[in-house]
Amino acid sequence: MKDDVLWPLEELKQLGLLRSLDLALSRYIAEETNETDNAVLFAIALTSERNGHGDVCLDLIDRVQNHELITLPEYSKLNEWLVSIKSLTAEDWWIRLSGSTAIQVIGSEKSDQESTSPLVLSGSVLSGSLDRPRLYLRRYWSYEVQVKASINQRLVCLHEHPKALMHQLLSVLFASTQQQPDWQKFACALAARRSFAVITGGPGTGKTTTVVRLLALLQALALEQNLPTLEIALAAPTGKAAARLNASISTQIESLPFDQLTQHSDQLKQRIPTEVTTLHRLLGPIPNSRRFRHHAQHPLPMDCIVVDEASMVDLEMLATLVAALKPTARLILLGDKDQLASVEAGAVLGDLCHHAVHGSYSADTAEWLEQVTGDQLPENYLVKQQSRDIDQAITMLRYSHRFSAEGGIGALAHLVNQSEYQGQKVADSLAALKQIFTQQPEQLHQYQVSSATDSSFSELIIRGYRGYLETLTQARPEANADSTAFDHWAESVLKAHTQFQLLCAVREGPWGVNPLNSWITQILTKAGLIKETQSLWYEGRPVLVTQNDYNLRLMNGDIGIALKRPVMQADVNEQGESAAALRVVFPTSDGGIRWVMPSRLQAIETVFAMTVHKSQGSEFKHTALVLPDQPNPVLTQELIYTGITRSREVFSLVYSRETVLCQALTSRVKRLSGLTFN
């Protein structure tokens, strides 16, 4: 009987349209609950399938009725069943799903009792309802409820500091401001007012500068009012992002006018943290489990948590974090809302910043901002109807200090992200893209190639990676040099390596990470830039850490390079000369380096090419983005935008087919969730 019920799902799995995991979930529920409605089992499998693509839930209107699985060409065996599925309305789905013992319906009599059902149905199918009907795997519904409750609790917690004191401190912190209005100043003011805040903005808009000034503002407010200063923690999703924030924070703190802010200047300087950790390390992972040492019963001792690169934070991680916060703790999220969302389910920063472009501030917020900053909020960022508390806690930084919106990388990123060029919406993004490349040949390069064997691609690779490989050979110390000289050499190689990075959209296929890493190794070997590549480990091999290793203090996303250096003096060969051994050198968050034996690295991969997802939190002087030669769901505006904005000075685009490029320029990520606020 069970197999009779599941046969349509078996067929969809055979066609590669459902995963084994999706089918296994429906099979388990059919066995445990005696569910006999294959439409219900299909919706359950589809919820799992969408979760694998980053959706938190299944929207009964958006994704069930229009999903590709039920808009397939009609297969003979599935034809009659597909016709019946397509005929179901949202109301039909609601009735059938709500009758299942595997699904708890929020708001019904079933929800008034303790429920352990594996799925949750929420929302309404009533016409005009803003609360759309959604089907969740229970744990993701719980995560969403937890995050929403924590944010709402903090939104209503106002910190009404003396306006005159706020104005005085903000005037000192932003004395040299050039922008009117100054969105960084607005961001500091709004973030100081509530226990929850979001600061978003593109590359070069000053997110790190803003948060350092915000921390100085918060601590100065406490010192000037004889209040306890805050215990603050700085965190990021990956080790690479943490290292970048750490370097930026240290530089920014030195430029703060401590003496002008407070008479307690020494104390103020000491109370602004400079160490940045990863979210996992902050929470304290328990080995061989999904649990952490800090949770609701054992919260973090901090009064304020700042999370950088928040676009990379998935729903589960944010739920874990907010559960570990003290009820009185502040939470501040920083990130670029337009970057790729997290690898796991959810797009939390994007959900929160839904109205960020338009501001949507209330008249009360505008009046308060003018009183404490002296700047007037432009009227077009005010909302005349009912305002939302969440919008009063979010600031979008709008001025890039790194890129000009008129040309080059800045204009290209804006075109991809907003389909705008020179202040105008464009109907043909591909034509506009080509125009920008033509106008900025020094900063922007494009390569249309037929395969990775094309000479132009090889020349790009050799030109890009020549710098660090020549530094490796030409700057190498003499064999009898001391360890300090070899450390300086390693630092120079690591720095040179940040000059260029090849990024890919996919891992497999002709233009994927895995085959390209092998091919690039061959290109560089043939060019004489690397040698001895017969074995896995060779000098010059760049590697990417793919899992956190707390014993080695290496985080997912860290990049190291294999180099030869003398071993300890006690270890010599028969002639009494020092032997050279291969070690992998990694940069540390405090600006130093760490040497690691290759045999101790368990989760690494060669990184001549890396995915755009893995590049988030990193920055390179020159980035080259390679697109696959076939359409792929991952090719979106967000992916292209993220690839472009990893570049500081030069960006190269490599593609085979214009149709694939067009797909990427016209597709946006649409992750579904119920993380909405009134």
Side-chain angles (χ1 to χ4, degrees):
M1 179 66 182
K2 176 183 74 222
D3 290 336
D4 291 343
V5 171
L6 290 168
W7 75 264
L9 279 63
E10 295 272 12
E11 288 293 312
L12 290 169
K13 192 257 181 184
Q14 291 297 321
L15 292 167
L17 300 172
L18 286 177
R19 302 172 299 172
S20 297
L21 176 66
D22 310 326
L23 177 60
L25 175 63
S26 291
R27 186 183 298 282
Y28 170 79
I29 288 174
E31 291 173 345
E32 294 296 316
T33 67
N34 294 317
E35 179 61 65
T36 59
D37 187 339
N38 58 27
V40 170
L41 295 172
F42 170 67
I44 291 170
L46 204 54
T47 303
S48 172
E49 187 267 347
R50 295 319 307 166
N51 184 253
H53 283 84
D55 288 349
V56 173
C57 56
L58 179 71
D59 189 306
L60 297 190
I61 296 174
D62 263 5
R63 286 284 163 93
V64 173
Q65 291 177 297
N66 302 312
H67 194 277
E68 60 184 6
L69 296 190
I70 56 174
T71 56
L72 292 168
E74 295 178 352
Y75 293 90
S76 57
K77 194 171 181 181
L78 285 172
N79 180 40
E80 186 177 341
W81 182 79
L82 283 171
V83 169
S84 68
I85 289 293
K86 292 176 187 178
S87 68
L88 296 177
T89 64
E91 290 78 7
D92 295 330
W93 281 108
W94 184 274
I95 292 169
R96 295 175 79 156
L97 293 170
S98 61
S100 174
T101 57
I103 300 172
Q104 178 188 4
V105 183
I106 302 301
S108 72
E109 292 182 3
K110 286 165 61 176
S111 70
D112 296 332
Q113 307 166 1
E114 289 292 326
S115 176
T116 57
S117 58
L119 288 100
V120 171
L121 181 61
S122 73
S124 172
V125 290
L126 295 177
S127 177
S129 171
L130 296 177
D131 192 8
R132 298 172 68 89
R134 302 179 182 93
L135 183 63
Y136 291 83
L137 299 177
R138 172 169 289 279
R139 71 186 182 100
Y140 282 95
W141 176 77
S142 299
Y143 294 151
E144 201 169 85
V145 168
Q146 193 166 26
V147 167
K148 190 183 296 188
S150 177
I151 290 176
N152 278 328
Q153 171 203 333
R154 286 170 171 77
L155 285 174
V156 298
C157 183
L158 291 175
H159 302 274
E160 295 292 2
H161 299 286
K163 293 175 183 175
L165 178 59
M166 284 272 288
H167 187 279
Q168 173 192 333
L169 294 174
L170 287 168
S171 297
V172 172
L173 285 167
F174 293 92
S176 60
T177 186
Q178 300 295 319
Q179 285 73 50
Q180 290 295 330
D182 189 339
W183 288 99
Q184 292 186 17
K185 189 193 293 187
F186 285 160
C188 284
L190 291 172
R193 194 183 193 194
R194 280 181 164 84
S195 288
F196 176 76
V198 177
I199 301 173
T200 186
T205 52
K207 295 185 291 295
T208 305
T209 301
T210 303
V211 79
V212 169
R213 293 178 181 179
L214 169 60
L215 299 182
L217 173 65
L218 292 173
Q219 300 293 42
L221 283 167
L223 289 169
E224 288 300 288
Q225 297 176 82
N226 294 316
L227 299 173
T229 55
L230 303 177
E231 291 293 334
I232 300 172
L234 305 174
T238 67
K240 190 69 175 178
R244 272 198 63 202
L245 179 61
N246 195 87
S248 300
I249 289 250
S250 300
T251 302
Q252 293 291 337
I253 287 177
E254 293 304 317
S255 65
L256 288 174
F258 290 103
D259 292 339
Q260 300 173 49
L261 285 168
T262 175
Q263 58 183 336
H264 311 286
S265 57
D266 290 339
Q267 190 176 354
L268 175 59
K269 190 170 186 177
Q270 293 171 3
R271 298 302 291 156
I272 300 176
T274 58
E275 289 296 316
V276 185
T277 186
T278 63
L279 284 170
H280 274 81
R281 179 167 284 179
L282 176 70
L283 292 166
I286 297 175
N288 304 315
S289 81
R290 297 172 63 93
R291 295 179 295 114
F292 293 87
R293 293 185 178 86
H294 290 288
H295 44 74
Q297 286 69 47
H298 182 218
L300 291 161
M302 289 80 185
D303 304 306
C304 178
I305 308 288
V306 178
V307 180
D308 193 24
E309 297 289 354
S311 64
M312 300 166 65
V313 180
D314 60 86
L315 180 64
E316 180 179 2
M317 176 51 72
L318 187 60
T320 305
L321 175 62
V322 298
L325 297 181
K326 295 190 299 186
T328 56
R330 294 172 178 261
L331 177 61
I332 300 165
L333 304 180
L334 274 76
D336 186 344
K337 68 179 181 61
D338 297 313
Q339 276 192 40
L340 280 170
S342 57
V343 175
E344 303 299 329
V348 178
L349 190 66
D351 289 339
L352 294 173
C353 296
H354 187 65
H355 297 147
V357 171
H358 307 292
S360 302
Y361 298 111
S362 68
D364 288 343
T365 297
E367 181 182 355
W368 180 84
L369 277 173
E370 187 170 3
Q371 291 172 348
V372 299
T373 68
D375 289 0
Q376 192 170 25
L377 189 68
E379 205 168 306
N380 56 306
Y381 294 111
L382 272 63
V383 63
K384 292 184 172 58
Q385 65 268 30
Q386 180 82 21
S387 60
R388 307 184 311 162
D389 285 345
I390 188 72
D391 293 326
Q392 317 313 303
I394 296 172
T395 313
M396 179 174 172
L397 306 181
R398 302 167 191 272
Y399 179 81
S400 177
H401 301 269
R402 187 186 308 166
F403 302 130
S404 166
E406 302 304 315
I409 293 174
L412 184 63
H414 189 72
L415 168 69
V416 170
N417 191 31
Q418 300 293 336
S419 298
E420 290 182 353
Y421 181 47
Q422 295 181 338
Q424 301 292 322
K425 281 286 182 183
V426 298
D428 188 341
S429 294
L430 180 59
L433 178 139
K434 289 184 174 181
Q435 183 180 349
I436 295 175
F437 272 96
T438 301
Q439 293 174 346
Q440 300 286 336
E442 301 86 8
Q443 197 175 36
L444 302 173
H445 310 143
Q446 60 177 325
Y447 301 84
Q448 187 169 7
V449 296
S450 58
S451 74
T453 60
D454 282 20
S455 60
S456 59
F457 181 71
S458 297
E459 290 166 5
L460 171 66
I461 294 302
I462 292 169
R463 189 165 59 249
Y465 287 124
R466 181 187 295 277
Y468 95 90
L469 291 167
E470 288 186 342
T471 300
L472 186 158
T473 56
Q474 296 174 7
R476 185 195 305 274
E478 295 294 329
N480 60 356
D482 60 18
S483 60
T484 301
F486 278 93
D487 286 349
H488 288 324
W489 167 63
E491 289 172 355
S492 67
V493 174
L494 287 169
K495 183 178 180 180
H497 183 262
T498 65
Q499 300 300 291
F500 178 79
Q501 181 63 54
L502 188 76
L503 303 180
C504 300
V506 295
R507 294 195 65 84
E508 303 299 339
W511 292 105
V513 165
N514 294 332
L516 279 181
N517 271 318
S518 297
W519 178 236
I520 291 169
T521 303
Q522 294 180 46
I523 291 174
L524 297 175
T525 302
K526 188 176 180 180
L529 292 171
I530 56 177
K531 301 177 177 64
E532 302 174 15
T533 58
Q534 292 80 8
S535 62
L536 176 63
W537 285 103
Y538 53 86
E539 189 171 39
R541 182 191 179 196
V543 294
L544 176 77
V545 177
T546 57
Q547 291 180 16
N548 293 341
D549 189 327
Y550 295 100
N551 291 326
L552 294 178
R553 292 177 292 160
L554 293 174
M555 298 293 113
N556 184 4
D558 285 351
I559 293 177
I561 299 174
L563 299 175
K564 287 182 179 178
R565 58 168 291 180
V567 296
M568 300 297 291
Q569 286 296 318
D571 189 6
V572 296
N573 62 22
E574 293 179 357
Q575 286 74 38
E577 298 171 347
S578 296
L582 204 64
R583 297 289 185 265
V584 185
V585 62
F586 291 91
T588 60
S589 59
D590 60 1
I593 59 169
R594 179 180 301 116
W595 296 90
V596 181
M597 293 178 62
S599 60
R600 299 191 67 192
L601 298 171
Q602 302 302 312
I604 51 93
E605 60 186 32
T606 303
V607 72
F608 286 120
M610 69 192 302
T611 62
V612 176
H613 266 106
K614 286 288 187 182
S615 75
Q616 291 189 94
S618 301
E619 185 181 87
F620 308 93
K621 180 179 179 181
H622 178 186
T623 298
L625 174 63
V626 177
L627 301 185
D629 56 357
Q630 297 295 325
N632 191 296
V634 306
L635 292 176
T636 61
Q637 291 171 312
E638 289 86 351
L639 182 134
I640 303 296
Y641 171 83
T642 304
I644 293 168
T645 54
R646 298 312 87 206
S647 305
R648 289 195 306 271
E649 298 180 18
V650 180
F651 174 74
S652 297
L653 178 65
V654 181
Y655 63 98
S656 300
R657 297 170 56 195
E658 285 191 352
T659 53
V660 175
L661 178 55
C662 281
Q663 175 204 332
L665 293 174
T666 55
S667 301
R668 289 202 77 89
V669 173
K670 187 182 180 184
R671 288 194 169 182
L672 294 181
S673 78
L675 194 61
T676 56
F677 296 86
N678 299 324

